[in-house]
Amino acid sequence: MNGKFELATLGVRAGQTRTSFHEHSEPLFLTSSFVFDDARQAAARFTGGEEGFVYSRFSNPTVSMFQDRLAALEGAEACVATASGMSAILALSMALLKAGDHVVCSNAVFGATVQLYSGILARFGVETSFVPATDLAAWQRAVRPSTRLFFLETPSNPLTEVSDIAAIAAIARRAGAPLVVDNCFCTPALQRPLELGADLVVHSATKYLDGQGRVLGGAILGSRKLVMDGVYGFLRTAGPSLSPFNAWVILKGLETLELRMLAQSANALELASWLEAHPGVLRVHYPGLPSHPQHELAMRQQRAGGAVLSFEVKGGRTAAWRLIDATRLISITANLGDVKTTITHPASTTHGRISAEARAAAGIGEGLVRVAVGLETQEDLRADLGRGLG
Ligand SMILES: *Cc1c(COP(=O)(O)O)cnc(C)c1O
């Protein structure tokens, strides 16, 4: 594709290459290796002297199409795909950090990300300071001479706290370390962190990029230097590669990404407004609501509020579980990013393994319920939630 195209067009068209069969839809290359014309070509491909596919641990045409399309959507020079969102975060950390290095990380990131930094990477001599997602002074205070990476996720899960990407990018730039943004909840359809000053974007493609809850995948995006000279080398050697089949599913998911994100955000905003007015609800957390503490910031750095909201019901865990158990339509599952609406009780599931004190400090109460809004009709969603709301 030549020239400059809008997001919707890029989602449908970017990155596609056609074979000699001139197929219209993107082909799926289920092959672990590629053959060479002769021994000379094999040698040239292995040394990198000649471009071309070799082995699907580090190069596959379907995976390349997915990488190129997502790079176009994020406005990134380079993208590498991974087997899952967590392997993307692991890969960039292994590529950019070494023993003795220090990481500044938002305390409102995905649970497994906290485990990765505070548990696994700590064993290899990487120390992490967790700071409040929205407190810029705390981000600044946490910086040390050994700080080599900044990491955040916005909006956060499940309280939808919004971090100021541009302001934290400025702190990171002064510290001389890259800022990584987990853009899982917004996707490039709603938020483009690289334009706001972030150095790397990481995705769990399992969520909204797939969009229909089918496969796991991940990706890392940024400058050619950080992604290709840094992260790709680790991936190529260590091998948490994206399967071509999964790449194909997610690639086709990208075609409807903008449509889905705008429609699901609109559905979430309507549902959030209805919940906020409901007498059984104490408080709603949704960046699209004017009552959200970072509403203005969210509307500045995001195109819409996203599809995830949470709310506190009167009556603690008993009331929250009653509400969840009264649903007939909404799926009781901790996953999100699907066109099917999902519901979960964070205090006893996604955040069940942290201590009650830590949960309370993080603002995750017993009455909190998270809903990841899909594409069902608004009236049906309200009826399903209304049934169990006292
Ligand atoms: C799910 C998720 C991840 C991890 O992704 P997997 O594909 O499950 O490995 C990372 N970050 C966020 C924000 C997520 O929601």
Side-chain angles (χ1 to χ4, degrees), residues 310-374:
S310 61
F311 57 98
E312 283 149 41
V313 294
K314 288 181 189 156
R317 179 180 294 214
T318 310
W321 281 23
R322 187 172 59 233
L323 167 78
I324 291 169
D325 291 344
T327 58
R328 294 175 198 156
L329 180 71
I330 298 175
S331 317
I332 306 174
T333 171
N335 197 25
L336 59 94
D338 203 308
V339 293
K340 293 181 171 71
T341 299
T342 65
I343 193 164
T344 189
H345 180 245
S348 58
T349 59
T350 51
H351 295 70
R353 274 181 299 177
I354 58 176
S355 70
E357 298 76 53
R359 255 200 320 274
I364 297 164
E366 289 292 327
L368 189 74
V369 174
R370 189 198 73 194
V371 174
V373 183

Short mmCIF file of all heavy atoms in Angstrom, two decimals, residues 310-374:
data_model
loop_
_atom_site.label_atom_id
_atom_site.label_comp_id
_atom_site.label_asym_id
_atom_site.label_seq_id
_atom_site.Cartn_x
_atom_site.Cartn_y
_atom_site.Cartn_z
N SER A 310 -16.25 -0.86 35.77
CA SER A 310 -16.51 -1.60 37.01
C SER A 310 -17.41 -0.75 37.89
O SER A 310 -17.51 0.48 37.68
CB SER A 310 -15.20 -1.97 37.72
OG SER A 310 -14.48 -0.81 38.06
N PHE A 311 -18.07 -1.40 38.81
CA PHE A 311 -18.98 -0.65 39.70
C PHE A 311 -19.08 -1.35 41.04
O PHE A 311 -18.84 -2.56 41.15
CB PHE A 311 -20.36 -0.47 39.05
CG PHE A 311 -21.06 -1.73 38.65
CD1 PHE A 311 -22.04 -2.30 39.47
CD2 PHE A 311 -20.76 -2.37 37.45
CE1 PHE A 311 -22.69 -3.47 39.10
CE2 PHE A 311 -21.41 -3.54 37.08
CZ PHE A 311 -22.37 -4.10 37.90
N GLU A 312 -19.41 -0.54 42.07
CA GLU A 312 -19.55 -1.07 43.42
C GLU A 312 -21.02 -1.15 43.77
O GLU A 312 -21.75 -0.17 43.61
CB GLU A 312 -18.82 -0.16 44.42
CG GLU A 312 -17.32 -0.34 44.39
CD GLU A 312 -16.56 0.93 44.73
OE1 GLU A 312 -17.00 1.64 45.66
OE2 GLU A 312 -15.55 1.21 44.05
N VAL A 313 -21.43 -2.34 44.24
CA VAL A 313 -22.83 -2.49 44.65
C VAL A 313 -22.92 -2.39 46.16
O VAL A 313 -21.95 -2.66 46.88
CB VAL A 313 -23.42 -3.85 44.17
CG1 VAL A 313 -23.50 -3.88 42.65
CG2 VAL A 313 -22.62 -5.03 44.68
N LYS A 314 -24.10 -2.00 46.64
CA LYS A 314 -24.36 -1.97 48.09
C LYS A 314 -24.47 -3.41 48.57
O LYS A 314 -25.15 -4.21 47.93
CB LYS A 314 -25.68 -1.25 48.36
CG LYS A 314 -25.61 0.24 48.16
CD LYS A 314 -26.96 0.90 48.47
CE LYS A 314 -26.93 2.36 48.03
NZ LYS A 314 -28.26 2.90 47.76
N GLY A 315 -23.81 -3.73 49.68
CA GLY A 315 -23.98 -5.07 50.25
C GLY A 315 -22.80 -5.99 50.06
O GLY A 315 -22.91 -7.19 50.31
N GLY A 316 -21.65 -5.46 49.63
CA GLY A 316 -20.41 -6.23 49.59
C GLY A 316 -20.46 -7.47 48.72
O GLY A 316 -21.18 -7.53 47.72
N ARG A 317 -19.67 -8.49 49.14
CA ARG A 317 -19.52 -9.70 48.33
C ARG A 317 -20.85 -10.42 48.07
O ARG A 317 -21.11 -10.89 46.96
CB ARG A 317 -18.53 -10.67 48.99
CG ARG A 317 -18.36 -11.96 48.19
CD ARG A 317 -17.38 -12.92 48.83
NE ARG A 317 -16.01 -12.41 48.83
CZ ARG A 317 -14.93 -13.17 48.70
NH1 ARG A 317 -15.03 -14.46 48.52
NH2 ARG A 317 -13.72 -12.63 48.73
N THR A 318 -21.69 -10.47 49.11
CA THR A 318 -22.98 -11.19 48.97
C THR A 318 -23.79 -10.57 47.82
O THR A 318 -24.31 -11.28 46.95
CB THR A 318 -23.78 -11.08 50.28
OG1 THR A 318 -22.91 -11.45 51.34
CG2 THR A 318 -25.00 -11.98 50.26
N ALA A 319 -23.86 -9.25 47.81
CA ALA A 319 -24.65 -8.57 46.78
C ALA A 319 -23.99 -8.70 45.41
O ALA A 319 -24.67 -8.89 44.39
CB ALA A 319 -24.81 -7.10 47.16
N ALA A 320 -22.65 -8.64 45.39
CA ALA A 320 -21.94 -8.74 44.11
C ALA A 320 -22.13 -10.12 43.50
O ALA A 320 -22.41 -10.25 42.30
CB ALA A 320 -20.46 -8.45 44.32
N TRP A 321 -22.00 -11.16 44.34
CA TRP A 321 -22.19 -12.53 43.83
C TRP A 321 -23.64 -12.76 43.41
O TRP A 321 -23.90 -13.45 42.43
CB TRP A 321 -21.77 -13.56 44.91
CG TRP A 321 -20.27 -13.75 44.98
CD1 TRP A 321 -19.32 -12.86 44.57
CD2 TRP A 321 -19.57 -14.89 45.47
NE1 TRP A 321 -18.06 -13.37 44.80
CE2 TRP A 321 -18.18 -14.62 45.36
CE3 TRP A 321 -19.97 -16.10 46.03
CZ2 TRP A 321 -17.20 -15.52 45.75
CZ3 TRP A 321 -18.98 -17.02 46.44
CH2 TRP A 321 -17.62 -16.72 46.28
N ARG A 322 -24.60 -12.17 44.16
CA ARG A 322 -26.02 -12.34 43.80
C ARG A 322 -26.27 -11.73 42.42
O ARG A 322 -26.93 -12.32 41.57
CB ARG A 322 -26.89 -11.65 44.86
CG ARG A 322 -28.39 -11.92 44.67
CD ARG A 322 -29.22 -11.40 45.83
NE ARG A 322 -29.05 -9.97 46.00
CZ ARG A 322 -28.72 -9.37 47.15
NH1 ARG A 322 -28.54 -10.08 48.23
NH2 ARG A 322 -28.58 -8.07 47.21
N LEU A 323 -25.70 -10.56 42.20
CA LEU A 323 -25.85 -9.89 40.89
C LEU A 323 -25.27 -10.76 39.77
O LEU A 323 -25.90 -10.97 38.72
CB LEU A 323 -25.12 -8.54 40.95
CG LEU A 323 -24.88 -7.83 39.61
CD1 LEU A 323 -26.15 -7.16 39.14
CD2 LEU A 323 -23.77 -6.81 39.74
N ILE A 324 -24.06 -11.29 40.02
CA ILE A 324 -23.40 -12.11 38.99
C ILE A 324 -24.20 -13.37 38.72
O ILE A 324 -24.44 -13.76 37.57
CB ILE A 324 -21.95 -12.44 39.43
CG1 ILE A 324 -21.09 -11.16 39.40
CG2 ILE A 324 -21.33 -13.53 38.55
CD1 ILE A 324 -19.73 -11.29 40.06
N ASP A 325 -24.69 -14.00 39.81
CA ASP A 325 -25.42 -15.26 39.66
C ASP A 325 -26.80 -15.07 39.04
O ASP A 325 -27.39 -16.04 38.53
CB ASP A 325 -25.53 -15.98 41.01
CG ASP A 325 -24.16 -16.50 41.48
OD1 ASP A 325 -23.24 -16.57 40.64
OD2 ASP A 325 -24.01 -16.81 42.68
N ALA A 326 -27.32 -13.85 39.06
CA ALA A 326 -28.65 -13.60 38.49
C ALA A 326 -28.59 -13.37 36.97
O ALA A 326 -29.63 -13.32 36.31
CB ALA A 326 -29.30 -12.40 39.17
N THR A 327 -27.38 -13.26 36.43
CA THR A 327 -27.29 -13.02 34.97
C THR A 327 -27.63 -14.30 34.22
O THR A 327 -27.35 -15.41 34.68
CB THR A 327 -25.88 -12.56 34.56
OG1 THR A 327 -24.93 -13.56 34.95
CG2 THR A 327 -25.50 -11.23 35.18
N ARG A 328 -28.25 -14.14 33.06
CA ARG A 328 -28.57 -15.30 32.22
C ARG A 328 -27.88 -15.17 30.87
O ARG A 328 -27.73 -16.15 30.14
CB ARG A 328 -30.08 -15.37 31.99
CG ARG A 328 -30.84 -15.67 33.26
CD ARG A 328 -32.34 -15.61 33.01
NE ARG A 328 -33.07 -15.48 34.27
CZ ARG A 328 -34.29 -14.97 34.38
NH1 ARG A 328 -34.92 -14.53 33.30
NH2 ARG A 328 -34.86 -14.88 35.55
N LEU A 329 -27.52 -13.96 30.52
CA LEU A 329 -26.97 -13.68 29.19
C LEU A 329 -25.45 -13.46 29.28
O LEU A 329 -24.67 -14.08 28.58
CB LEU A 329 -27.66 -12.41 28.67
CG LEU A 329 -27.27 -11.88 27.30
CD1 LEU A 329 -27.80 -12.80 26.22
CD2 LEU A 329 -27.85 -10.48 27.11
N ILE A 330 -25.05 -12.56 30.17
CA ILE A 330 -23.64 -12.17 30.31
C ILE A 330 -22.83 -13.37 30.81
O ILE A 330 -23.27 -14.10 31.70
CB ILE A 330 -23.54 -10.98 31.30
CG1 ILE A 330 -24.32 -9.77 30.72
CG2 ILE A 330 -22.10 -10.61 31.57
CD1 ILE A 330 -24.39 -8.58 31.65
N SER A 331 -21.64 -13.57 30.23
CA SER A 331 -20.80 -14.73 30.59
C SER A 331 -20.02 -14.46 31.87
O SER A 331 -19.38 -13.41 32.00
CB SER A 331 -19.80 -15.03 29.48
OG SER A 331 -20.40 -14.95 28.22
N ILE A 332 -20.05 -15.43 32.79
CA ILE A 332 -19.26 -15.32 34.02
C ILE A 332 -17.88 -15.87 33.69
O ILE A 332 -17.64 -17.08 33.71
CB ILE A 332 -19.90 -16.10 35.18
CG1 ILE A 332 -21.36 -15.65 35.37
CG2 ILE A 332 -19.10 -15.90 36.47
CD1 ILE A 332 -22.13 -16.47 36.39
N THR A 333 -16.96 -14.98 33.34
CA THR A 333 -15.60 -15.38 32.98
C THR A 333 -14.68 -14.20 33.18
O THR A 333 -15.09 -13.05 33.03
CB THR A 333 -15.51 -15.89 31.51
OG1 THR A 333 -14.13 -16.07 31.18
CG2 THR A 333 -16.13 -14.94 30.53
N ALA A 334 -13.43 -14.50 33.53
CA ALA A 334 -12.48 -13.42 33.81
C ALA A 334 -11.90 -12.84 32.53
O ALA A 334 -11.19 -11.84 32.57
CB ALA A 334 -11.37 -13.92 34.72
N ASN A 335 -12.19 -13.43 31.38
CA ASN A 335 -11.62 -12.89 30.14
C ASN A 335 -12.34 -11.62 29.74
O ASN A 335 -13.42 -11.31 30.22
CB ASN A 335 -11.69 -13.95 29.02
CG ASN A 335 -10.76 -13.60 27.88
OD1 ASN A 335 -9.76 -12.91 28.06
ND2 ASN A 335 -11.09 -14.06 26.69
N LEU A 336 -11.73 -10.88 28.86
CA LEU A 336 -12.33 -9.64 28.35
C LEU A 336 -11.84 -9.46 26.92
O LEU A 336 -10.98 -10.20 26.44
CB LEU A 336 -11.95 -8.45 29.23
CG LEU A 336 -10.47 -8.15 29.38
CD1 LEU A 336 -9.99 -7.12 28.37
CD2 LEU A 336 -10.17 -7.64 30.77
N GLY A 337 -12.42 -8.46 26.24
CA GLY A 337 -11.97 -8.20 24.88
C GLY A 337 -12.79 -8.94 23.85
O GLY A 337 -12.42 -9.02 22.69
N ASP A 338 -13.91 -9.46 24.28
CA ASP A 338 -14.78 -10.26 23.41
C ASP A 338 -15.99 -9.42 23.02
O ASP A 338 -16.35 -8.48 23.72
CB ASP A 338 -15.22 -11.49 24.24
CG ASP A 338 -15.63 -12.66 23.36
OD1 ASP A 338 -16.47 -12.47 22.46
OD2 ASP A 338 -15.12 -13.76 23.61
N VAL A 339 -16.66 -9.80 21.93
CA VAL A 339 -17.93 -9.16 21.57
C VAL A 339 -19.06 -9.67 22.48
O VAL A 339 -20.14 -9.10 22.50
CB VAL A 339 -18.30 -9.38 20.09
CG1 VAL A 339 -17.32 -8.64 19.19
CG2 VAL A 339 -18.35 -10.85 19.73
N LYS A 340 -18.80 -10.75 23.21
CA LYS A 340 -19.74 -11.23 24.22
C LYS A 340 -19.41 -10.54 25.54
O LYS A 340 -18.25 -10.57 25.98
CB LYS A 340 -19.60 -12.74 24.42
CG LYS A 340 -20.02 -13.58 23.22
CD LYS A 340 -19.83 -15.07 23.56
CE LYS A 340 -20.44 -15.96 22.49
NZ LYS A 340 -19.69 -15.95 21.22
N THR A 341 -20.40 -9.95 26.20
CA THR A 341 -20.16 -9.26 27.47
C THR A 341 -19.80 -10.27 28.55
O THR A 341 -20.39 -11.34 28.64
CB THR A 341 -21.41 -8.46 27.86
OG1 THR A 341 -21.66 -7.50 26.84
CG2 THR A 341 -21.23 -7.75 29.20
N THR A 342 -18.79 -9.90 29.36
CA THR A 342 -18.34 -10.79 30.44
C THR A 342 -18.43 -10.06 31.78
O THR A 342 -18.36 -8.82 31.83
CB THR A 342 -16.89 -11.26 30.22
OG1 THR A 342 -16.01 -10.12 30.29
CG2 THR A 342 -16.71 -11.94 28.87
N ILE A 343 -18.58 -10.84 32.84
CA ILE A 343 -18.72 -10.25 34.19
C ILE A 343 -17.83 -11.04 35.15
O ILE A 343 -17.70 -12.27 35.04
CB ILE A 343 -20.20 -10.25 34.64
CG1 ILE A 343 -20.39 -9.37 35.88
CG2 ILE A 343 -20.74 -11.67 34.87
CD1 ILE A 343 -21.85 -9.02 36.13
N THR A 344 -17.21 -10.33 36.09
CA THR A 344 -16.35 -11.00 37.06
C THR A 344 -16.31 -10.22 38.37
O THR A 344 -16.60 -9.02 38.41
CB THR A 344 -14.93 -11.20 36.47
OG1 THR A 344 -14.18 -12.02 37.35
CG2 THR A 344 -14.19 -9.89 36.31
N HIS A 345 -15.97 -10.93 39.45
CA HIS A 345 -15.84 -10.34 40.78
C HIS A 345 -14.35 -10.29 41.09
O HIS A 345 -13.77 -11.29 41.55
CB HIS A 345 -16.59 -11.23 41.80
CG HIS A 345 -16.54 -10.71 43.20
ND1 HIS A 345 -15.90 -11.39 44.22
CD2 HIS A 345 -17.03 -9.58 43.75
CE1 HIS A 345 -16.02 -10.68 45.34
NE2 HIS A 345 -16.70 -9.60 45.08
N PRO A 346 -13.68 -9.15 40.85
CA PRO A 346 -12.21 -9.10 40.97
C PRO A 346 -11.67 -9.58 42.31
O PRO A 346 -10.67 -10.30 42.35
CB PRO A 346 -11.89 -7.62 40.72
CG PRO A 346 -13.02 -7.13 39.87
CD PRO A 346 -14.23 -7.88 40.36
N ALA A 347 -12.32 -9.20 43.42
CA ALA A 347 -11.77 -9.52 44.75
C ALA A 347 -11.63 -11.03 44.98
O ALA A 347 -10.77 -11.45 45.76
CB ALA A 347 -12.65 -8.89 45.84
N SER A 348 -12.46 -11.85 44.32
CA SER A 348 -12.36 -13.29 44.54
C SER A 348 -11.80 -14.04 43.33
O SER A 348 -11.69 -15.26 43.36
CB SER A 348 -13.74 -13.86 44.92
OG SER A 348 -14.68 -13.59 43.91
N THR A 349 -11.46 -13.32 42.25
CA THR A 349 -10.91 -14.02 41.07
C THR A 349 -9.55 -13.43 40.68
O THR A 349 -8.53 -13.85 41.21
CB THR A 349 -11.90 -13.95 39.88
OG1 THR A 349 -12.16 -12.58 39.54
CG2 THR A 349 -13.20 -14.66 40.19
N THR A 350 -9.57 -12.42 39.79
CA THR A 350 -8.32 -11.86 39.25
C THR A 350 -7.42 -11.29 40.34
O THR A 350 -6.20 -11.31 40.22
CB THR A 350 -8.61 -10.75 38.23
OG1 THR A 350 -9.51 -9.80 38.82
CG2 THR A 350 -9.22 -11.31 36.96
N HIS A 351 -8.01 -10.76 41.42
CA HIS A 351 -7.22 -10.17 42.50
C HIS A 351 -7.38 -10.97 43.80
O HIS A 351 -7.12 -10.47 44.89
CB HIS A 351 -7.61 -8.71 42.71
CG HIS A 351 -7.26 -7.84 41.52
ND1 HIS A 351 -7.92 -7.93 40.31
CD2 HIS A 351 -6.31 -6.91 41.34
CE1 HIS A 351 -7.39 -7.09 39.46
NE2 HIS A 351 -6.40 -6.45 40.05
N GLY A 352 -7.79 -12.24 43.66
CA GLY A 352 -8.05 -13.08 44.84
C GLY A 352 -6.80 -13.53 45.56
O GLY A 352 -6.86 -13.90 46.73
N ARG A 353 -5.65 -13.53 44.87
CA ARG A 353 -4.44 -14.07 45.49
C ARG A 353 -3.65 -13.04 46.29
O ARG A 353 -2.74 -13.38 47.01
CB ARG A 353 -3.54 -14.74 44.43
CG ARG A 353 -3.94 -16.20 44.19
CD ARG A 353 -3.06 -16.87 43.19
NE ARG A 353 -3.15 -16.20 41.90
CZ ARG A 353 -2.42 -16.53 40.84
NH1 ARG A 353 -1.55 -17.49 40.91
NH2 ARG A 353 -2.57 -15.88 39.70
N ILE A 354 -4.00 -11.76 46.13
CA ILE A 354 -3.31 -10.75 46.94
C ILE A 354 -4.06 -10.59 48.26
O ILE A 354 -5.24 -10.90 48.36
CB ILE A 354 -3.13 -9.40 46.19
CG1 ILE A 354 -4.48 -8.81 45.76
CG2 ILE A 354 -2.20 -9.57 45.00
CD1 ILE A 354 -4.35 -7.45 45.11
N SER A 355 -3.37 -10.10 49.28
CA SER A 355 -3.95 -10.03 50.62
C SER A 355 -5.12 -9.05 50.65
O SER A 355 -5.20 -8.13 49.84
CB SER A 355 -2.89 -9.59 51.63
OG SER A 355 -2.56 -8.23 51.40
N ALA A 356 -6.02 -9.25 51.61
CA ALA A 356 -7.19 -8.39 51.73
C ALA A 356 -6.78 -6.93 51.94
O ALA A 356 -7.41 -6.02 51.42
CB ALA A 356 -8.08 -8.87 52.89
N GLU A 357 -5.65 -6.74 52.70
CA GLU A 357 -5.19 -5.36 52.97
C GLU A 357 -4.71 -4.71 51.67
O GLU A 357 -5.03 -3.57 51.37
CB GLU A 357 -4.03 -5.34 53.98
CG GLU A 357 -4.36 -5.87 55.38
CD GLU A 357 -4.42 -7.40 55.43
OE1 GLU A 357 -3.44 -8.05 55.00
OE2 GLU A 357 -5.45 -7.94 55.87
N ALA A 358 -3.93 -5.49 50.90
CA ALA A 358 -3.40 -4.95 49.64
C ALA A 358 -4.55 -4.63 48.68
O ALA A 358 -4.51 -3.63 47.96
CB ALA A 358 -2.43 -5.94 48.99
N ARG A 359 -5.55 -5.50 48.70
CA ARG A 359 -6.72 -5.28 47.84
C ARG A 359 -7.44 -4.00 48.24
O ARG A 359 -7.80 -3.18 47.40
CB ARG A 359 -7.69 -6.45 47.95
CG ARG A 359 -7.67 -7.37 46.77
CD ARG A 359 -8.90 -8.21 46.67
NE ARG A 359 -9.43 -8.74 47.89
CZ ARG A 359 -9.04 -9.88 48.47
NH1 ARG A 359 -8.09 -10.60 47.91
NH2 ARG A 359 -9.59 -10.28 49.58
N ALA A 360 -7.63 -3.84 49.54
CA ALA A 360 -8.34 -2.66 50.04
C ALA A 360 -7.54 -1.41 49.68
O ALA A 360 -8.10 -0.40 49.24
CB ALA A 360 -8.55 -2.77 51.54
N ALA A 361 -6.19 -1.49 49.85
CA ALA A 361 -5.34 -0.34 49.52
C ALA A 361 -5.45 0.00 48.04
O ALA A 361 -5.38 1.17 47.65
CB ALA A 361 -3.89 -0.64 49.90
N ALA A 362 -5.63 -1.02 47.22
CA ALA A 362 -5.74 -0.80 45.78
C ALA A 362 -7.14 -0.36 45.37
O ALA A 362 -7.39 -0.07 44.21
CB ALA A 362 -5.34 -2.06 45.02
N GLY A 363 -8.06 -0.33 46.33
CA GLY A 363 -9.42 0.14 46.04
C GLY A 363 -10.33 -0.92 45.47
O GLY A 363 -11.39 -0.61 44.92
N ILE A 364 -9.90 -2.20 45.57
CA ILE A 364 -10.72 -3.28 45.02
C ILE A 364 -11.53 -3.90 46.14
O ILE A 364 -11.08 -4.79 46.86
CB ILE A 364 -9.83 -4.31 44.29
CG1 ILE A 364 -9.16 -3.59 43.12
CG2 ILE A 364 -10.67 -5.49 43.78
CD1 ILE A 364 -8.01 -4.31 42.54
N GLY A 365 -12.75 -3.37 46.32
CA GLY A 365 -13.60 -3.78 47.43
C GLY A 365 -14.36 -5.05 47.13
O GLY A 365 -14.37 -5.55 45.99
N GLU A 366 -15.01 -5.57 48.17
CA GLU A 366 -15.79 -6.81 48.05
C GLU A 366 -17.05 -6.62 47.21
O GLU A 366 -17.59 -7.57 46.66
CB GLU A 366 -16.16 -7.31 49.45
CG GLU A 366 -14.97 -7.86 50.23
CD GLU A 366 -14.44 -9.16 49.64
OE1 GLU A 366 -15.22 -9.94 49.10
OE2 GLU A 366 -13.20 -9.36 49.70
N GLY A 367 -17.52 -5.38 47.10
CA GLY A 367 -18.74 -5.12 46.32
C GLY A 367 -18.46 -4.74 44.87
O GLY A 367 -19.37 -4.38 44.12
N LEU A 368 -17.17 -4.83 44.47
CA LEU A 368 -16.81 -4.39 43.11
C LEU A 368 -17.08 -5.49 42.07
O LEU A 368 -16.73 -6.64 42.27
CB LEU A 368 -15.32 -4.01 43.07
CG LEU A 368 -14.85 -3.34 41.77
CD1 LEU A 368 -15.36 -1.89 41.70
CD2 LEU A 368 -13.33 -3.36 41.66
N VAL A 369 -17.69 -5.09 40.97
CA VAL A 369 -18.00 -6.00 39.86
C VAL A 369 -17.42 -5.39 38.59
O VAL A 369 -17.55 -4.18 38.37
CB VAL A 369 -19.54 -6.16 39.69
CG1 VAL A 369 -19.87 -6.98 38.46
CG2 VAL A 369 -20.16 -6.78 40.94
N ARG A 370 -16.73 -6.22 37.79
CA ARG A 370 -16.20 -5.71 36.50
C ARG A 370 -17.01 -6.28 35.34
O ARG A 370 -17.27 -7.48 35.31
CB ARG A 370 -14.73 -6.09 36.33
CG ARG A 370 -14.11 -5.39 35.11
CD ARG A 370 -12.84 -6.04 34.65
NE ARG A 370 -13.09 -7.32 34.00
CZ ARG A 370 -12.15 -8.23 33.73
NH1 ARG A 370 -10.91 -8.01 34.10
NH2 ARG A 370 -12.46 -9.36 33.14
N VAL A 371 -17.35 -5.40 34.43
CA VAL A 371 -18.06 -5.83 33.22
C VAL A 371 -17.24 -5.37 32.01
O VAL A 371 -16.86 -4.20 31.92
CB VAL A 371 -19.49 -5.25 33.16
CG1 VAL A 371 -20.16 -5.59 31.83
CG2 VAL A 371 -20.33 -5.77 34.32
N ALA A 372 -16.94 -6.30 31.10
CA ALA A 372 -16.31 -5.95 29.82
C ALA A 372 -17.43 -6.04 28.78
O ALA A 372 -17.93 -7.12 28.47
CB ALA A 372 -15.18 -6.91 29.49
N VAL A 373 -17.84 -4.87 28.31
CA VAL A 373 -19.07 -4.77 27.52
C VAL A 373 -18.83 -5.19 26.08
O VAL A 373 -17.86 -4.77 25.44
CB VAL A 373 -19.62 -3.33 27.59
CG1 VAL A 373 -20.94 -3.22 26.82
CG2 VAL A 373 -19.83 -2.90 29.05
N GLY A 374 -19.72 -6.03 25.57
CA GLY A 374 -19.63 -6.53 24.20
C GLY A 374 -20.59 -5.82 23.28
O GLY A 374 -20.84 -4.62 23.41
#
